[in-house]
Amino acid sequence: MKTQVAIIGAGPSGLLLGQLLHKAGIDNVIVERQTPDYVLGRIRAGVLEQGTVDMLREAGVAARMDAEGLVHEGVELIVDGRRVRIPLKELTGGSTVVVYGQTEVTRDLMEARQAVGATTIYSADNVQIHDAKGDSPYLTYEKDGQTHRIDCDYIAGCDGFHGISRKSIPAEVLTHYERVYPFGWLGLLSDTPPVNEELIYAHHERGFVLCSQRSLTRSRYYLQVPLTEKVEDWSDERFWEELKARLPEDVASRLVTGPSLEKSIAPLRSYVVEPMQYGKLFLVGDAAHIVPPTGAKGLNLAASDVCYLYRILVKVYKEGRTDLLEKYSELALRRVWKGERFSWFMTNLLHDFGDAKDAWDRKMQQADREYYLSSHAGLVNIAENYVGLPYEDVE
Ligand SMILES: Cc1cc2nc3c(=O)[nH]c(=O)nc-3n(C[C@H](O)[C@H](O)[C@H](O)COP(=O)(O)OP(=O)(O)OC[C@H]3O[C@@H](n4cnc5c(N)ncnc54)[C@H](O)[C@@H]3O)c2cc1C
């Protein structure tokens, strides 16, 4: 098989890139290790920045998001018993976020891809990258007991943190930056109305809480838990009781509880690899970087990587601008690092680090909380990062 761009991974990065390229007349094939049902079953992000919304519209997959997504003009922070609403729209000159689940984004992209007849190979085993540095890159994969080959011009490694793309780049070329946090998030998804119209991020001495949502009838709540916790030790009842204990009484009294649809513990980690390019292989999204979910940036950074790579490839194919290929990593990383900074900042601001912070660090954390929540400049800082920093032009 031959294509222009071979994409590894049918998560949001791979599917969005594939859809945008297809619309621009650039042929692409996606190879994915899992089945479509498995991909759709993953419960993950839910807050879309304006830039991500714009990319989904440009890809022509926004009809359901525009009809069902919830536009949020503000977000609430509860810190040390003090409740502060951050009016995102007002503080950023009109920007908002849209609450629409990653699962729904993925479903819309999958359906659009199927409708245009673009090729996605699911259940592809042992995907391997060949000759990424040379003139004739290609992929091989195994399916139904046979080895297949896809020749291509470029390879997009959209295969997430555990994928093979990053690992296929020689170790001496890469620099890794990492911060592992001494806690995780226990998440619960339920078909219950959200406790609040807007998202609530709360710092409490028992640990951090996020009251998030996927729709007017589906809620997603998170509790900070030690890394030693096991999900099977958390009955729904225990989860709801702990959540109530960490929320102010008036909010806790409004909480509607119900059976969980999903419950899981995710460790929190910040990670970036540099560069995000090796010859004709480009790393996109979680393949190159991950963030703790506190800033709602994971999916959104994946979308900005896609935007840069897509805009570059269009100029390569339509205008012969192969010089731009070398700029991808630099462009993408500039925005990635700002997203990493904000995610790290929000994580530091709102979590209880226990013994991992000394007395000085705890005082700094407290001073940060007081400063950011009582200063107009502090609130603007949080607001403009939360709605998403602008994308740079590709020139
Ligand atoms: C548990 C969890 C909770 C999260 N919650 C949030 C949140 O609340 N907010 C937020 O903003 N972000 C969150 N994120 C992050 C967000 O989901 C990711 O940033 C986003 O999924 C990145 O998309 P991606 O397409 O780059 O990677 P992925 O979604 O990881 O997709 C990669 C795809 O590549 C496939 N693949 C992997 N290896 C191979 C291989 N060898 N061959 C072929 N295919 C392969 C995978 O099966 C997968 O389909 C969460 C992530 C996790 C893991």
Side-chain angles (χ1 to χ4, degrees):
M1 192 188 299
K2 189 155 176 34
T3 188
Q4 289 172 299
V5 181
I7 299 173
I8 308 173
S13 303
L15 287 167
L16 179 58
L17 180 65
Q19 194 61 19
L20 288 162
L21 292 176
H22 178 85
K23 276 201 86 188
I26 300 170
D27 191 56
N28 62 88
V29 170
I30 300 182
V31 279
E32 163 63 50
R33 188 175 52 179
Q34 305 289 357
T35 64
D37 284 347
Y38 183 94
V39 172
L40 274 177
R42 291 188 293 226
I43 310 295
R44 291 184 175 178
V47 177
L48 309 182
E49 295 174 351
Q50 188 63 49
T52 306
V53 168
D54 292 343
M55 292 310 295
L56 291 167
R57 289 195 181 129
E58 192 169 335
V61 294
R64 208 159 62 88
M65 174 191 71
D66 284 334
E68 297 173 19
L70 305 172
V71 176
H72 281 204
E73 298 183 0
V75 63
E76 288 197 24
L77 261 57
I78 301 176
V79 170
D80 308 322
R82 192 166 146 225
R83 194 161 165 186
V84 177
R85 175 174 187 265
I86 304 183
L88 300 171
K89 191 172 181 183
E90 192 185 309
L91 293 177
T92 59
S95 295
T96 56
V97 292
V98 173
V99 170
Y100 189 65
Q102 177 169 334
T103 317
E104 307 310 318
V105 171
T106 307
R107 187 187 303 280
D108 295 344
L109 284 162
M110 273 182 173
E111 285 175 2
R113 191 165 176 86
Q114 204 174 9
V116 296
T119 308
T120 312
I121 298 146
Y122 286 98
S123 307
D125 285 329
N126 194 20
V127 176
Q128 287 187 28
I129 295 170
H130 306 269
D131 207 18
K133 202 73 173 152
D135 291 333
S136 312
Y138 62 98
L139 298 184
T140 53
Y141 65 93
E142 288 164 20
K143 188 163 166 128
D144 303 328
Q146 291 195 333
T147 301
H148 305 263
R149 170 172 170 147
I150 305 176
D151 290 282
C152 55
D153 301 332
Y154 302 105
I155 299 167
C158 304
D159 49 353
F161 185 65
H162 299 289
I164 49 98
S165 297
R166 186 180 69 254
K167 291 172 195 153
S168 71
I169 299 174
E172 64 274 16
V173 175
L174 300 177
T175 307
H176 307 265
Y177 301 87
E178 188 171 40
R179 168 80 27 121
V180 177
Y181 300 89
F183 41 73
W185 278 16
L186 169 64
L188 180 147
L189 186 76
S190 62
D191 271 336
T192 54
V195 69
N196 197 49
E197 212 173 306
E198 294 175 341
L199 268 60
I200 295 177
Y201 291 77
H203 166 81
H204 190 276
E205 59 190 15
R206 298 176 73 101
F208 168 82
V209 168
L210 170 59
C211 302
S212 187
Q213 51 187 268
R214 295 292 179 264
S215 70
L216 294 174
T217 55
R218 183 165 286 190
S219 300
R220 180 76 165 158
Y221 295 104
Y222 294 99
L223 296 174
Q224 174 189 350
V225 291
L227 287 169
T228 45
E229 286 298 312
K230 295 199 171 23
V231 72
E232 50 277 18
D233 294 335
W234 283 84
S235 64
D236 290 356
E237 292 69 29
R238 183 178 172 204
F239 184 96
W240 293 121
E241 282 313 307
E242 184 60 29
L243 181 61
K244 282 183 189 165
R246 296 186 193 187
L247 290 170
E249 250 177 64
D250 62 316
V251 180
S253 64
R254 290 204 312 264
L255 184 72
V256 180
T257 63
S260 60
L261 301 172
E262 191 260 4
K263 231 174 356 198
S264 54
I265 295 180
L268 265 60
R269 183 200 304 248
S270 301
Y271 171 84
V272 180
V273 73
E274 292 190 353
M276 288 171 58
Q277 177 185 5
Y278 178 68
K280 293 184 169 167
L281 166 65
F282 300 86
L283 301 180
V284 181
D286 276 21
H289 44 78
I290 50 177
V291 284
T294 329
K297 289 286 165 260
L299 176 59
N300 292 304
L301 288 179
S304 64
D305 291 353
V306 167
C307 173
Y308 288 131
L309 185 56
Y310 158 66
R311 299 228 187 285
I312 288 171
L313 288 173
V314 167
K315 284 187 192 270
V316 167
Y317 281 110
K318 310 287 177 204
E319 301 169 23
R321 292 285 310 275
T322 47
D323 59 301
L324 290 174
L325 292 166
E326 295 297 320
K327 293 200 172 165
Y328 168 71
S329 183
E330 196 187 314
L331 265 174
L333 280 166
R334 258 204 299 275
R335 196 168 187 284
V336 164
W337 275 116
K338 290 178 201 145
E340 291 283 348
R341 187 208 67 81
F342 181 64
S343 306
W344 164 87
F345 161 80
M346 288 288 277
T347 305
N348 267 293
L349 195 73
L350 296 172
H351 288 76
D352 176 15
F353 281 71
D355 295 339
K357 278 196 191 293
D358 62 17
W360 176 268
D361 286 343
R362 280 198 290 274
K363 285 288 183 194
M364 290 299 102
Q365 196 188 17
Q366 179 69 26
D368 261 351
R369 284 199 284 265
E370 282 176 18
Y371 165 68
Y372 276 95
L373 295 191
S374 53
S375 146
H376 179 74
L379 294 178
V380 171
N381 181 312
I382 294 179
E384 72 171 359
N385 279 280
Y386 193 78
V387 300
L389 296 173
Y391 294 5
E392 290 178 54
D393 289 336
V394 174
E395 283 307 335

